[in-house]
Amino acid sequence: TQSEIGGVESVSAVAPISSFQYYTIGMAVMFALFVGGSIAGIAFVEKQQFVFNRILLSDRHPFAYLGGKAISATLVTFFQFCILFFFSSLIFQAFDLTDLSFWPGMLLIAFCLALCVGAIAAFLTALLMRFNNDTIATVFSGGIVTIFAFLGGSFTPTEGLPVFIRQLGSWTPNGASLNAFLLWVQNLDIGLLWEPLSRVLLATVILL
């Protein structure tokens, strides 16, 4: 018998993703979307309490109020990311807090999604003011976020789902951001982030 010499082995060039890392990111991008609905819900309460009317009486443009909602949602979302990543790294060692080359990319992706959440908050606020109904925010937080989380892979990786579902999920803000986070964690290549982040920023512009 001839002895087999040599062989072929497949070795992945990217770093593996742990379950702690995946679900930290997956839950982070999902809960970011809830901020948009919460800020819009607060705006509706402010309208009921005539806060919005007093702003109009002070001769301020409505866009100033709307811009404030967008900025506040952006800041809350970004700091929510920072807190979640810090404590998940500190307690569960999901990420290396001492790796200074790692965190700029994470913060860039988080900021892009935070901008999109700010746009979502502005869009929902405008709808609530127009139709005078807070059901819009409730439906978004209770239903649409759950659908986006499923499509985007927050609950479970989408590799086992049909191609159409995966493609659809990659166009949701949370799904595109999740892909960007995973690409960065595995490759640390800023060039790979352009495609998913461009989808997030496109959604931001459309919503605004």
Side-chain angles (χ1 to χ4, degrees):
T1 61
Q2 285 186 329
S3 60
E4 294 185 1
I5 300 176
V8 177
E9 291 187 4
S10 177
V11 180
S12 176
V14 298
I17 294 285
S18 70
S19 59
F20 268 120
Q21 290 175 325
Y22 184 90
Y23 286 109
T24 296
I25 297 170
M27 292 297 104
V29 297
M30 180 184 73
F31 282 110
L33 298 180
F34 283 112
V35 176
S38 298
I39 295 295
I42 293 172
F44 184 77
V45 174
E46 290 175 344
K47 183 180 181 181
Q48 287 183 318
Q49 296 176 347
F50 304 106
V51 174
F52 183 64
N53 299 70
R54 289 195 290 270
I55 292 174
L56 295 181
L57 288 174
S58 65
D59 199 26
R60 297 298 301 274
H61 198 282
F63 280 160
Y65 178 79
L66 198 62
K69 293 302 177 185
I71 293 172
S72 62
T74 299
L75 293 177
V76 168
T77 303
F78 183 74
F79 287 123
Q80 178 176 285
F81 271 116
C82 293
I83 293 170
L84 194 150
F85 286 153
F86 175 76
F87 282 104
S88 64
S89 301
L90 185 66
I91 299 174
F92 300 110
Q93 287 77 50
F95 308 105
D96 185 3
L97 285 173
T98 62
D99 188 356
L100 299 181
S101 64
F102 173 75
W103 290 106
M106 295 290 283
L107 295 178
L108 172 64
I109 301 167
F111 183 70
C112 288
L113 181 55
L115 286 175
C116 189
V117 172
I120 291 173
F123 180 68
L124 292 176
T125 299
L127 290 179
L128 288 173
M129 295 296 183
R130 174 65 62 185
F131 297 106
N132 196 30
N133 192 338
D134 64 342
T135 305
I136 296 171
T138 304
V139 170
F140 177 81
S141 298
I144 296 177
V145 170
T146 303
I147 295 173
F148 277 15
F150 171 74
L151 295 175
S154 292
F155 296 144
T156 183
T158 58
E159 281 76 9
L161 299 177
V163 176
F164 171 75
I165 298 296
R166 297 203 302 269
Q167 292 177 343
L168 191 62
S170 68
W171 280 96
T172 61
N174 56 302
S177 301
L178 177 60
N179 290 338
F181 277 122
L182 296 180
L183 286 171
W184 178 253
V185 171
Q186 291 182 298
N187 299 277
L188 296 182
D189 185 353
I190 200 74
L192 296 175
L193 302 182
W194 164 245
E195 181 181 354
L197 291 186
S198 65
R199 297 178 180 183
V200 177
L201 295 177
L202 176 63
T204 303
V205 172
I206 292 174
L207 288 166
L208 285 175

